[in-house]
Amino acid sequence: MKRLSALHRLSAFRQAMVLLALFSMISVIAWGGTYWLIWSEMGRVVDARLAERMELAVSALAAGQPLPEPEDGESIQLTDDSPRLGFWTDPTQGAETRYLQQQTPQGIVLVGENTERYEEMRHIVSTGMQLSLVGSLLAAGIAAVLMAGQAQRRLNVITGGLADVAQGQLSKRISLEGKDDLSMVAGRINLTTARLEQAMADMRVQSSNIAHDLRTPLARLRAEIETSLNALINKDRAVTEDDLGAALEQIDRINETFDALLRLSQIESGAGRSGFMQVPLADLINRVKDTFGPVIEKTGQHLSIDVAEPASVNGDPDLLMQLVANLVQNALRYGATGQTITLRCHKTLLSVSDEGPGIPFQERERVLQPLYQRETHRQGDGFGLGLSLVRAIAELHGADLSLADGTNGQGLTATVRFQTNRQDVNPA
């Protein structure tokens, strides 16, 4: 009983039973209809033959001739019984007999035919149909059970793989042969698991980076407080404004790090889509030029603007401004002295180039990770979140971010390729 209950809980088994029941119902209806058609056709043939023999008998009587001789299994006679016109069957005879009776001036003509052979044929057809039906249902049942078992085994492989993943084995992959829907589901699960594994790895890296980047300001904060406390206790020196200012500076740095991480998390969650509108890239370039142009010139660097057929993109204007601002700030912070920062916009393509040392090819993917800083930059004022924010904002807007060498192989070029709006596409 428990085994039957366990089988009933399996979806594959229940589906197989439903299909078997449906096949049984259709088969019974089909075989029943076939049997009825065969039996009806047999009766029609007998009645047609009786009608033909009756016509011959009536014609013979009308011509003053005797009734035609009956063939084997037939009977033709005149009777004085009360009329029972039409076709009828008399099962009181030794074998079932089909009759046709008709009133004529000469009397009542009764034509009969023994239908025993048709009854035997009907019995043979009925028995054959029953055996065929039982065999078909038995074969269908066995096939359904085998197919259900195979499907359930494949489902068990998937559920077993999911159970391993749930226990933390993110490297587990589900292997199913074939190209059916279950194989597609297994492939989707493997893809999701791989992304989850990568996300967990990124989280571990980010956690390590957070701990590494916060260790310095926390250590400085503790050193400042400890120094001031020792001076106050041992040297009876009051805490000065500079002491508190240095401590507050380290606290602000920690707060800025967490604020930047929260901002990145909000962008990656897609929260900024509610403010999307049509943003002309030309207006965005002008805002960047007005905001950063004087700052760049004051540092002894130069800003070059190259705009050609700027398009409009669907997005959040503030986030897009932050995207370009981060790229310009990175170029300003890590570029060479007296360099020219080039801001280009061609249709939906926007890029920022500098003339600094650039980023080696093998590190370009890593610098897009949150809180990752190259060793040459780790002692600076950045948090390693600038390019991470740029990529998050780009992905929010359905754009692609790529890093490449700058002009003439010098420096770095960050390029953002936005999707083309339909209204920006000129009809052919």
Side-chain angles (χ1 to χ4, degrees):
M1 194 66 181
K2 291 182 178 180
R3 182 173 298 179
L4 291 177
S5 178
L7 284 176
H8 186 266
R9 288 196 297 269
L10 301 179
S11 60
F13 180 79
R14 292 200 304 270
Q15 292 175 2
M17 292 300 100
V18 170
L19 292 176
L20 180 60
L22 182 62
F23 174 79
S24 301
M25 181 180 66
I26 295 175
S27 298
V28 170
I29 294 175
W31 285 114
T34 303
Y35 176 77
W36 179 81
L37 289 174
I38 293 175
W39 181 240
S40 297
E41 182 63 18
M42 288 181 179
R44 189 194 66 80
V45 170
V46 172
D47 290 346
R49 190 160 41 245
L50 288 175
E52 181 181 354
R53 301 296 294 172
M54 176 63 73
E55 184 178 354
L56 293 175
V58 171
S59 298
L61 291 175
Q65 300 176 359
L67 293 173
E69 291 294 328
E71 296 182 359
D72 185 28
E74 294 182 348
S75 63
I76 303 177
Q77 59 180 327
L78 284 172
T79 178
D80 296 330
D81 294 342
S82 59
R84 187 179 181 184
L85 303 180
F87 294 97
W88 53 282
T89 302
D90 185 7
T92 61
Q93 302 297 324
E96 287 192 358
T97 304
R98 181 74 169 170
Y99 292 101
L100 174 59
Q101 190 167 289
Q102 182 175 334
Q103 180 71 49
T104 66
Q106 293 79 14
I108 299 174
V109 180
L110 180 64
V111 179
E113 182 175 343
N114 190 313
T115 60
E116 181 179 5
R117 63 182 182 275
Y118 295 106
E119 289 295 328
E120 293 177 353
M121 186 180 299
R122 181 177 69 85
H123 178 71
I124 293 173
V125 171
S126 175
T127 303
M129 285 186 172
Q130 292 176 7
L131 292 176
S132 177
L133 178 61
V134 171
S136 298
L137 295 180
L138 182 61
I142 295 175
V145 171
L146 292 177
M147 293 174 63
Q150 181 181 10
Q152 191 59 49
R153 284 191 295 271
R154 294 168 67 82
L155 286 174
N156 290 339
V157 173
I158 295 177
T159 55
L162 289 175
D164 293 337
V165 172
Q167 293 177 358
Q169 302 180 28
L170 298 182
S171 60
K172 179 70 176 182
R173 298 294 181 267
I174 301 173
S175 177
L176 282 183
E177 297 180 355
K179 295 183 179 180
D180 56 0
D181 52 348
L182 292 181
S183 299
M184 294 177 60
V185 170
R188 293 289 185 180
I189 293 175
N190 289 338
L191 180 60
T192 302
T193 305
R195 291 181 176 176
L196 180 60
E197 183 181 17
Q198 183 61 44
M200 294 300 294
D202 292 342
M203 185 179 297
R204 286 191 293 268
V205 172
Q206 293 178 21
S207 299
S208 176
N209 290 337
I210 290 174
H212 188 282
D213 284 0
L214 292 182
R215 184 183 296 114
T216 299
L218 286 174
R220 291 176 181 175
L221 176 60
R222 187 183 189 286
E224 293 288 346
I225 295 176
E226 185 177 12
T227 301
S228 299
L229 180 61
N230 290 334
L232 179 62
I233 295 176
N234 299 327
K235 300 179 181 179
D236 196 21
R237 181 177 66 81
V239 177
T240 65
E241 181 179 348
D242 293 338
D243 295 333
L244 295 178
L248 289 175
E249 182 181 350
Q250 300 305 319
I251 293 175
D252 289 341
R253 180 175 175 81
I254 295 173
N255 287 334
E256 289 174 3
T257 301
F258 282 111
D259 289 342
L261 288 172
L262 290 175
R263 180 64 169 163
L264 177 62
S265 177
Q266 291 174 352
I267 294 173
E268 289 179 341
S269 67
R273 290 192 178 95
S274 58
F276 274 23
M277 64 179 66
Q278 288 300 312
V279 181
L281 292 181
D283 295 346
L284 186 65
I285 297 298
N286 290 331
R287 288 178 59 190
V288 173
K289 179 180 179 181
D290 295 339
T291 302
F292 290 95
V295 177
I296 294 175
E297 295 296 333
K298 187 179 295 185
T299 61
Q301 303 182 33
H302 307 283
L303 178 63
S304 174
I305 305 295
D306 182 7
V307 179
E309 302 180 21
S312 294
V313 298
N314 187 37
D316 185 289
D318 294 333
L319 290 178
L320 291 175
M321 180 63 183
Q322 183 175 358
L323 179 148
V324 183
N326 282 10
L327 293 178
V328 173
Q329 287 174 348
N330 274 0
L332 181 61
R333 177 179 299 163
Y334 302 116
T337 303
Q339 69 172 347
T340 297
I341 299 175
T342 303
L343 176 58
R344 293 186 179 89
C345 180
H346 179 65
K347 294 184 178 180
T348 58
L349 196 67
L350 190 148
S351 66
V352 176
S353 302
D354 61 48
E355 298 175 356
I359 299 176
F361 178 80
Q362 61 272 17
E363 288 194 59
R364 288 175 184 171
E365 181 62 29
R366 300 181 64 186
V367 297
L368 299 178
Q369 299 174 0
L371 294 173
Y372 176 81
Q373 290 180 279
R374 300 177 62 200
E375 291 301 325
T376 56
H377 299 158
R378 188 163 288 280
Q379 300 303 322
D381 296 330
F383 303 105
L385 292 170
L387 290 177
S388 299
L389 285 170
V390 171
R391 181 170 70 171
I393 296 173
E395 291 178 350
L396 179 68
H397 290 78
D400 296 324
L401 171 65
S402 61
L403 303 179
D405 292 334
T407 306
N408 299 323
Q410 181 180 0
L412 180 72
T413 296
T415 303
V416 181
R417 185 184 298 274
F418 294 95
Q419 294 182 353
T420 303
N421 291 335
R422 292 183 178 179
Q423 59 266 34
D424 295 326
V425 179
N426 296 323

